[in-house]
């Protein structure tokens, strides 16, 4: 077996080619600025709604990467409580979900606080199913492996205390390194140190969120990197394993990390554009008389309902007769809200105008 990255002389002083990364980093930073500009156009309620959804997805997908399946409604409720948002009629949560959400919100709301050993241990305690006090793994080899990252860790656990001291010193030292780059480096280093038997991935992504929040200089996180990593999880594993067996130059890992980050920003920007368009739409038609079925279907269309909207689809969703569905649709066509896409009997479909 070849030499792992942490066995090489010079570890943990990782290097990267900033010239090679600068273009992608610059593009990502520009997208951050554009996203912030669009956020400034949102009303307070819309901003809270998007923030709530973004953090909820971050918690759910980061947990799912570790093989934990969470109830979305419960996570949403817990996030709302942490952010002091009122959600009437929300379901009850459970202590395990509340603790997981607290870890995420701690990284966002307290992003400029030092990352101490105690803070890492508190995160680990909160993420564990039992909620017991945390300690570094102490077996010669880890008894558990993460479903996504496999055996990406140094086997000799006796090195962990010193490795973590060096890591935390680096984390808390002010560097000229861009915080987005530092987020990617921190993610990789902690994953390879693998200080605990479980939850290392979630802790690594929590650190990533903390540094990305520093890069935003705002806890208003309206994108989810964990959700994007989840979509790219097979590539994520391959790139991590390649870095594990590579040199101290982690340019390739950082290039993928920046790509993933930029893609998350693009998706958030597209979602915000849609939200703004939807807001303008309802502002335009706020005085228009519409029934409950029409309002429901218009909102579903804005939220991404399959664009092949037919009268039978309308009838099935609203549990109404085909004649009622057709009257609803024809009324919206007359009000220039919907238009007929094509004709042909049952294949006739409609879309937002």
């Amino acid at each position: 077996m070849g030499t792992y990255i942490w066995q090489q002389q010079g570890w943990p002083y990782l290097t990267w080619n900033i010239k090679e990364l600068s273009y992608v980093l610059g593009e990502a930073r520009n997208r951050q600025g554009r996203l912030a500009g669009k956020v400034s156009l949102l009303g307070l309620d819309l901003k809270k709604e998007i923030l709530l959804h973004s953090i909820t997805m971050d918690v759910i997908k980061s947990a799912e990467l570790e093989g934990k399946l969470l109830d979305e409604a419960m996570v949403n409720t817990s996030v709302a409580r942490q952010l002091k948002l009122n959600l009437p009629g929300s379901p009850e949560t459970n202590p395990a979900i509340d603790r997981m959400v607290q870890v995420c919100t701690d990284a966002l709301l307290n992003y400029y606080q030092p990352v101490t050993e105690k803070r890492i241990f508190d995160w680990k305690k909160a993420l564990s199913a039992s909620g017991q006090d945390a300690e570094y793994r102490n077996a010669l080899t880890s008894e558990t492996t993460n479903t996504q990252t496999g055996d990406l860790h140094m086997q000799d656990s006796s090195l962990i205390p010193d490795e973590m001291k060096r890591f935390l010193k680096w984390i808390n030292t002010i560097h000229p390194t861009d915080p987005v780059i530092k987020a990617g480096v921190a993610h990789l280093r902690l994953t390879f140190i693998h200080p605990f038997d479980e939850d290392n991935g979630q802790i690594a992504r929590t650190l990533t969120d903390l540094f990305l929040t520093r890069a935003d200089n705002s806890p208003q996180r309206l994108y989810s990197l964990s959700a994007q990593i989840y979509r790219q999880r097979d590539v994520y594993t391959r790139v991590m394993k390649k870095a594990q067996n590579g040199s101290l130059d982690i340019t390739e890992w950082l290039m993928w990390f920046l790509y993933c980050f930029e893609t998350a920003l693009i998706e958030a920007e597209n979602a915000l554009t849609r939200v703004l368009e939807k807001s303008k739409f309802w502002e335009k038609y706020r005085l228009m008389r519409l029934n409950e079925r029409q309002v429901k279907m218009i909102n579903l269309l804005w939220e991404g309902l399959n664009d092949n909207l037919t009268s039978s689809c309308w009838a099935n969703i609203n549990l109404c007769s085909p004649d009622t569905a057709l009257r609803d649709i024809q009324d919206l066509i007359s009000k220039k809200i919907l238009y007929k896409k094509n004709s042909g009997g049952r294949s006739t479909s409609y879309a937002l105008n």
Side-chain angles (χ1 to χ4, degrees):
M1 181 176 290
T3 304
Y4 291 121
I5 188 173
W6 55 81
Q7 294 173 323
Q8 296 189 34
Q9 186 175 2
W11 167 269
Y13 301 106
L14 304 172
T15 63
W16 50 89
N17 187 334
I18 193 60
K19 288 184 178 179
E20 192 173 335
L21 298 173
S22 60
Y23 177 77
V24 181
L25 178 62
E27 285 292 299
R29 286 304 221 161
N30 286 336
R31 289 196 179 276
Q32 272 185 300
R34 289 211 298 269
L35 185 62
K38 288 191 175 183
V39 169
S40 67
L41 299 175
L42 296 176
L44 185 60
D45 289 342
L46 278 176
K47 191 181 294 185
K48 287 179 179 178
E49 180 183 333
I50 295 173
L51 179 64
L52 178 60
H53 176 75
S54 173
I55 297 176
T56 297
M57 286 299 102
D58 216 56
V59 172
I60 289 172
K61 294 306 178 183
S62 185
E64 203 161 336
L65 282 163
E66 300 298 302
K68 304 174 185 176
L69 300 179
L70 305 180
D71 182 275
E72 183 175 339
M74 286 187 175
V75 175
N76 198 63
T77 299
S78 185
V79 173
R81 288 175 181 168
Q82 286 292 314
L83 299 178
K84 296 180 171 53
L85 303 178
N86 183 30
L87 283 184
S90 300
E92 288 299 315
T93 63
N94 63 55
I97 286 179
D98 288 338
R99 293 196 304 268
M100 214 172 287
V101 169
Q102 285 166 9
V103 172
C104 180
T105 53
D106 175 51
L108 296 181
L109 301 178
N110 303 308
Y111 60 98
Y112 267 118
Q113 294 298 316
V115 182
T116 62
E117 186 175 61
K118 180 183 183 305
R119 196 175 182 187
I120 294 286
F121 277 126
D122 286 345
W123 288 350
K124 168 56 185 158
K125 179 180 178 180
L127 292 172
S128 66
S130 63
Q132 294 180 342
D133 288 342
E135 60 180 22
Y136 293 137
R137 60 183 170 91
N138 53 23
L140 288 178
T141 58
S142 177
E143 296 178 0
T144 59
T145 56
N146 174 270
T147 54
Q148 288 301 324
T149 55
D151 60 352
L152 296 175
H153 63 271
M154 50 182 62
Q155 282 71 31
D156 188 352
S157 61
S158 66
L159 301 174
I160 290 174
D162 286 341
E163 286 286 345
M164 286 301 293
K165 283 179 184 176
R166 287 200 293 181
F167 177 66
L168 292 172
K169 181 179 179 181
W170 173 79
I171 281 279
N172 293 303
T173 300
I174 298 174
H175 299 100
T177 306
D178 188 289
V180 174
I181 296 290
K182 197 165 182 177
V185 178
H187 188 119
L188 193 74
R189 277 185 66 175
L190 188 81
T191 301
F192 287 162
I193 295 171
H194 201 89
F196 306 107
D197 278 328
E198 297 176 317
D199 305 315
N200 298 282
Q202 277 181 281
I203 294 172
R205 287 183 290 277
T206 299
L207 278 174
T208 299
D209 283 342
L210 183 144
F211 279 109
L212 292 180
T213 309
R214 289 184 183 180
D216 291 332
N217 198 28
S218 168
Q220 302 296 309
R221 171 62 56 78
L222 302 180
Y223 60 88
S224 171
L225 184 65
S226 290
Q228 187 57 40
I229 289 175
Y230 181 80
R231 294 185 195 101
Q232 301 284 329
R233 55 193 178 278
D234 292 337
V235 182
Y236 174 56
T237 304
R238 287 202 303 272
V239 176
M240 290 281 277
K241 285 187 174 180
K242 191 169 182 180
Q244 175 195 38
N245 294 288
S247 69
L248 296 175
D249 186 327
I250 58 168
T251 302
E252 186 174 350
W253 155 256
L254 288 175
M255 184 67 79
W256 182 84
F257 179 84
L258 290 173
Y259 158 77
C260 208
F261 173 55
E262 185 181 14
T263 305
L265 290 170
I266 290 170
E267 294 198 358
E269 189 177 349
N270 291 339
L272 275 180
T273 299
R274 197 168 183 84
V275 167
L276 287 168
E277 289 175 349
K278 180 182 176 182
S279 178
K280 290 176 183 177
F281 172 89
W282 282 119
E283 177 64 22
K284 179 179 178 180
Y285 291 104
R286 71 186 188 282
L287 301 179
M288 188 77 70
R289 276 189 139 183
L290 302 171
N291 63 43
E292 289 183 6
R293 295 183 301 276
Q294 291 172 322
V295 172
K296 176 182 178 180
M297 295 305 291
I298 290 170
N299 280 325
L300 284 175
L301 286 168
W302 275 111
E303 290 163 13
L305 177 70
N306 191 312
D307 60 2
N308 188 28
L309 174 62
T310 62
S311 58
S312 58
C313 173
W314 186 293
N316 289 335
I317 291 175
N318 288 288
L319 302 177
C320 65
S321 69
D323 287 343
T324 298
L326 193 56
R327 280 195 299 272
D328 286 343
I329 290 170
Q330 288 173 341
D331 178 55
L332 291 178
I333 291 174
S334 69
K335 292 171 177 174
K336 302 188 184 304
I337 292 176
L338 290 185
Y339 73 95
K340 186 184 293 186
K341 292 178 63 178
N342 52 54
S343 58
R346 293 181 180 179
S347 66
T348 302
S349 61
Y350 309 88
L352 283 172
N353 191 7

